[in-house]
Amino acid sequence: MANVVVVGSQWGDEGKGKIVDWLSERADVVVRYQGGHNAGHTLVIDGKVYKLSLLPSGVVRPGKLGVIGNGVVIDPWALCDEIGRLDEQGVVINADNLRIAENATLILPLHRELDALREAAAGAGKIGTTKRGIGPAYEDKVGRRAIRVMDLQNLDSLKAKVERILTHHNALRRGLNEPEISADELHGQLAEVAPKILPFMETVWLLLDGMRRAGKRILFEGAQGTLLDIDHGTYPFVTSSNTVAAQAATGTGIGPSALNYVLGITKAYTTRVGMGPFPTEQLNDVGTMLGERGHEFGTVTGRQRRCGWFDAALVRQTVKTSGIDGIALTKLDILDGFDELKVCVGYMLDGNRIDHLPAAQGAQARVEPIYETFEGWTQSTAGARSWADLPAQSIKYIRRVEELIEAPVAMVSTSPERDDTILVHDPFED
């Protein structure tokens, strides 16, 4: 049985929630492997809308096991709130359908505060963080002072860990003219939340190894997009974790040989939330129309997304950095009715043509897109479930996208409904 990794091939918000839900019905285990509650998935199941930020998408389906891997940073209070919201919608979350890696790092209230303080102080240099404490939590993880899930087991030994992390953070707070945090207060907050989190604790790498050996289908669910990767994205306007497909291995403890197929979720146009370069952005009627038709607002932040034409040069780049085997092309129906469509095939930089986005921040800001123009289509693609349902011109658009990004289209999504999907290749049958 193949194990499938789902990654966003752009800047996130590509429609991963629907595709992961579609795939999760065929999987036994759905695993989150990076990020935190700064990324959101919206699922529409039988007309009911579920908004998830931290929980794996599979938890809304009976009989599926959801796993949060060690590569995720977990705000335990936000997790409890999310579990509570799902409970109100009739979805029960317990140790039967959710496990959390014992070595996952916790996001603390001090991380959220520091995130907001830094962003407010940055002025024009702000990077568009969601202010949920993700970055500071990853900093503490790398700095080897983080509080992890397993630390909640022993409240006596937790005291020394709390004092260690506060040695660092109280020094920062003094520098920002903020009051210091009481070790007793933080310890008390963690002691209170511990009984709500510990029932889910698991040695995840061992669990997944057993599942793999038993022939279970495992779906690895990424958050955000490859272009937000801390190493391979548009730095510094990126997230604080690796979002490329390889993180599915390190973020769960499963070996890379267990990752059989990488599916890149790819929007038929391009969007971005927050700051940073965006070569094909359309600050005009086209961008407005794409945003209105696509309901382009962030699931977590509610912020309006920036919109522009499809950037094949960027997706071709992420196909390579994430080892994408095939893409799921989403929101094709949003392009219905345009007289003409444009696709970026490369860039001009200081008078020279290049075929990828450079790594340097200054160069990224200076590139100019090179476009190919396509005839649009007037017929609707909304709800199409087979190639025969698609206008001929839309198929030409898809075929040219495949050529430009150097990867095949495995699936086409034509509406938020899970069944409005054209399956070309089943990733689980690879």
Side-chain angles (χ1 to χ4, degrees):
M1 295 290 188
N3 297 319
V4 177
V5 182
V6 170
V7 298
S9 68
Q10 294 153 308
W11 279 293
D13 308 308
E14 301 95 348
K16 291 185 290 297
K18 170 192 166 173
I19 301 301
V20 168
D21 175 57
W22 193 92
L23 290 168
S24 69
E25 192 171 48
R26 314 161 78 83
D28 300 297
V29 188
V30 183
V31 189
R32 275 283 310 271
Y33 58 83
Q34 52 78 218
H37 64 308
N38 55 337
H41 289 170
T42 300
L43 309 180
V44 182
I45 302 173
D46 297 329
K48 202 166 187 177
V49 178
Y50 301 94
K51 293 184 181 292
L52 306 179
S53 296
L54 196 53
L55 292 170
S57 297
V59 297
V60 299
R61 293 200 167 274
K64 309 297 180 183
L65 178 63
V67 176
I68 299 177
N70 57 275
V72 178
V73 286
I74 301 168
D75 183 324
W77 297 276
L79 177 61
C80 291
D81 288 345
E82 190 170 331
I83 290 172
R85 289 195 299 272
L86 284 182
D87 184 67
E88 292 174 358
Q89 292 186 277
V91 179
V92 177
I93 306 297
N94 54 39
D96 292 331
N97 62 358
L98 176 66
R99 308 288 176 81
I100 300 174
E102 61 186 358
N103 52 340
T105 291
L106 296 180
I107 299 174
L108 308 177
L110 58 84
H111 292 132
R112 295 194 299 269
E113 291 178 26
L114 179 61
D115 209 353
L117 288 168
R118 283 176 171 170
E119 192 74 347
K126 63 179 59 177
I127 59 174
T129 171
T130 58
K131 303 174 187 175
R132 280 166 163 73
I134 311 295
Y138 274 117
E139 288 178 40
D140 282 343
K141 175 181 177 177
V142 175
R144 294 167 290 183
R145 55 183 169 264
I147 307 295
R148 303 194 291 176
V149 173
M150 67 178 75
D151 296 329
L152 299 178
Q153 290 182 105
N154 189 325
L155 296 179
D156 288 335
S157 63
L158 178 61
K159 291 179 180 178
K161 296 177 186 296
V162 166
E163 289 173 358
R164 172 174 165 75
I165 197 171
L166 287 182
T167 298
H168 173 80
H169 278 273
N170 278 336
L172 289 176
R173 294 176 71 88
R174 287 194 295 272
L176 292 167
N177 294 317
E178 292 293 324
E180 294 188 16
I181 293 169
S182 160
D184 289 339
E185 180 182 353
L186 178 56
H187 186 272
Q189 291 173 325
L190 290 170
E192 183 180 1
V193 81
K196 302 174 184 178
I197 301 299
L198 288 174
F200 301 107
M201 190 176 72
E202 182 67 77
T203 305
V204 159
W205 66 267
L206 191 58
L207 172 71
L208 294 180
D209 182 66
M211 292 286 186
R212 180 182 66 83
R213 291 178 182 276
K216 303 295 185 182
R217 287 176 165 178
I218 306 173
L219 178 62
F220 296 88
E221 175 186 9
Q224 301 149 313
T226 301
L227 291 168
L228 293 174
D229 186 276
I230 187 70
D231 291 307
H232 301 288
T234 49
Y235 191 90
F237 304 100
V238 293
T239 193
S240 300
S241 62
N242 288 109
T243 59
V244 292
Q247 178 65 15
T250 55
T252 63
I254 201 165
S257 62
L259 311 179
N260 306 116
Y261 189 97
V262 179
L263 181 67
I265 315 303
T266 308
K267 196 177 286 186
Y269 50 102
T270 309
T271 62
R272 175 164 200 169
V273 170
M275 314 292 286
F278 187 169
T280 65
E281 183 174 14
Q282 298 297 297
L283 298 172
N284 51 31
D285 290 344
V286 169
T288 300
M289 190 178 300
L290 289 171
E292 290 176 350
R293 288 186 178 183
H295 305 290
E296 295 296 350
F297 295 90
T299 301
V300 170
T301 63
R303 289 185 292 180
Q304 186 170 353
R305 297 174 187 139
R306 301 154 63 190
C307 298
W309 294 119
F310 185 79
D311 193 330
L314 273 182
V315 176
R316 183 170 61 240
Q317 190 167 328
T318 62
V319 163
K320 300 180 189 306
T321 56
S322 263
I324 292 172
D325 296 295
I327 69 164
L329 190 67
T330 65
K331 290 200 166 184
L332 181 67
D333 55 305
I334 305 305
L335 300 182
D336 294 351
F338 279 90
D339 293 331
E340 69 174 26
L341 303 169
K342 293 184 179 182
V343 172
C344 175
V345 297
Y347 311 103
M348 294 299 296
L349 176 61
D350 301 334
N352 299 308
R353 177 167 179 156
I354 57 175
D355 62 0
H356 67 280
L357 191 67
Q361 182 180 350
Q364 289 175 354
R366 295 197 308 276
V367 297
E368 297 290 337
I370 301 170
Y371 287 115
E372 276 189 19
T373 303
F374 299 80
E375 179 185 344
W377 54 88
T378 56
Q379 307 98 309
S380 174
T381 64
R385 299 183 181 183
S386 72
W387 286 116
D389 296 333
L390 293 177
Q393 197 59 38
S394 69
I395 296 175
K396 288 182 181 178
Y397 180 84
I398 294 169
R399 294 305 185 205
R400 183 56 177 151
V401 164
E402 288 182 310
E403 292 174 354
L404 291 169
I405 67 173
E406 300 176 9
V409 170
M411 305 169 68
V412 181
S413 171
T414 57
S415 94
E417 293 294 333
R418 69 183 303 279
D419 291 329
D420 291 340
T421 304
I422 301 170
L423 179 63
V424 182
H425 175 78
D426 187 343
F428 278 120
E429 301 300 330
D430 189 56

